[in-house]
Amino acid sequence: MMQITDLATEQKIPPLLRLGFRPFFLSGALFSVFAITLWLLIYKGTINLSPLGGGYWWHIHEMIFGFGGAIIAGFLLTAVQNWTGVRGAQGTILLALFLLWLAGRIFLVVPDLLGSILTGLIDLMFLPTVAYVLAKPIIAIKQYRNLFFVPLLALFTLANLEMHLSIHYPTTFNSVYSGYAGVMLVTFLMSVMAGRVVPMFTANGTNTAKIAPLPWLDKAANGSLAIAMFSLLLQPIVGFSALFFGVLLIIASVFQTMRWLRWRPWITLHVPLLWSIHGAIKFICFGLFVLGASYVIPEVPSNHVWHLLTVGGIGGLILAMISRVSLGHTGRPLTPPKSMSIAYVLISLAALVRAFGPWAIPEKTLLFIDISGGFWLIAFIIFIIGYGPMLINARKDGRPG
């Protein structure tokens, strides 16, 4: 009876607003296409536009807190329903959250409409509002283990605040360190979630036994990333040691690699939804090592190497996970459109070209950035074309969601 009632109520809600992953995965993918295109045009001087903080600040901020924030919100607002058994945000509440996120994206592009202070406040409101909506059912069910994600969103908001403060107080707050703190927070979140779901995904997708976790290894893999994140977040107070940070990232890479190899990535090569996830984790492992080396060895250009982590690791894992979650939550078999295999390969190529091209041939940096950006755009356009209809239409199996 409850399921029939839920279904009847849900029929009155547009499918796009029935669960958090629908609007935020689709809009996040669309926004990434817009943001990368706009950044390429600004970087090359094709257009004369002054978004909040300038083009470079805006690019860093929007790919982390705009694009990344949308995907994280969509994932958590969907997962909380599975954790608690309580209906997730939908309808008017979900629409309000989406419009708040969208307002931030619009006003950051044209900050003169409201001014930098009000624009910043609107942008900063989104993640705490998501945290509030997320916490309510978790606290009601007393499922305090998953309340962990609420303070994580608070830290994400703090990194965002530091980025905004860097516009007004550049001698105290460094936008690059604050942005990179956001990157490490997203990497930490992905590491935690990977530890929870990748062994199960791998076992189910390959019909093999699930690898039992090693608690000490999970703590070491996640803890080293957490320390790296705090070293960036607390930079205005304690300063920044490149040597400490670099060695820490290399240590984190070792633990991440040990854990990843235990998950047997080689048995997933015939399953696109699995090898894409494992390929992105490989970029996290490899990216952390090379990035760590860049802070120890001055000749390695850290500004380029960060893209191994942001494009190949974060971008790749986002693309792999949203394509899997969207299938499962729209009542479809876990078989992505064949074109998604191309998208998974392209996002990896985008990371390699962006990180190593300018390093190898500095005078061709602009060309490599164009190629890398083009690969990203094609990859996410493939997702939008293949998954857009799924996300805006009701579930295939007729169930709520």
Side-chain angles (χ1 to χ4, degrees), residues 98-153:
F98 169 73
L99 291 177
L100 181 58
W101 172 84
L102 183 62
R105 312 290 63 78
I106 293 171
F107 292 128
L108 261 71
V109 174
V110 283
D112 289 343
L113 289 176
L114 297 178
S116 61
I117 301 295
L118 187 53
T119 296
L121 290 174
I122 291 172
D123 178 57
L124 287 164
M125 285 171 58
F126 175 66
L127 289 171
T129 307
V130 171
Y132 172 76
V133 173
L134 184 72
K136 284 184 66 177
I138 294 175
I139 293 173
I141 301 298
K142 298 181 180 180
Q143 198 180 69
Y144 300 121
R145 173 174 177 259
N146 289 314
L147 203 59
F148 154 81
F149 292 99
V150 173
L152 193 63
L153 289 176

Side-chain angles (χ1 to χ4, degrees), residues 9-10 13 17-19 87-95 401:
T9 302
E10 189 158 283
I13 302 173
L17 297 176
R18 291 181 185 176
L19 205 51
R87 199 76 183 97
Q90 59 178 182
T92 304
I93 294 176
L94 186 55
L95 177 61

Side-chain angles (χ1 to χ4, degrees), residues 266-290:
W266 53 86
I267 70 174
T268 69
L269 297 178
H270 63 291
V271 186
L273 279 182
L274 291 178
W275 64 250
S276 57
I277 292 174
H278 282 277
I281 295 172
K282 170 205 67 181
F283 268 103
I284 291 176
C285 300
F286 177 57
L288 286 170
F289 185 86
V290 181

Side-chain angles (χ1 to χ4, degrees), residues 13-25:
I13 302 173
L16 189 62
L17 297 176
R18 291 181 185 176
L19 205 51
F21 77 98
R22 291 178 175 273
F24 283 114
F25 286 2

Side-chain angles (χ1 to χ4, degrees), residues 67 190 280 308-320 347 376 380:
F67 166 62
M190 289 185 164
L308 290 173
L309 200 57
T310 57
V311 178
I314 294 175
L317 196 53
I318 283 176
L319 192 62
I347 206 72
W376 177 290
F380 275 89

Side-chain angles (χ1 to χ4, degrees), residues 287-298:
L288 286 170
F289 185 86
V290 181
L291 186 60
S294 76
Y295 283 92
V296 177
I297 305 169

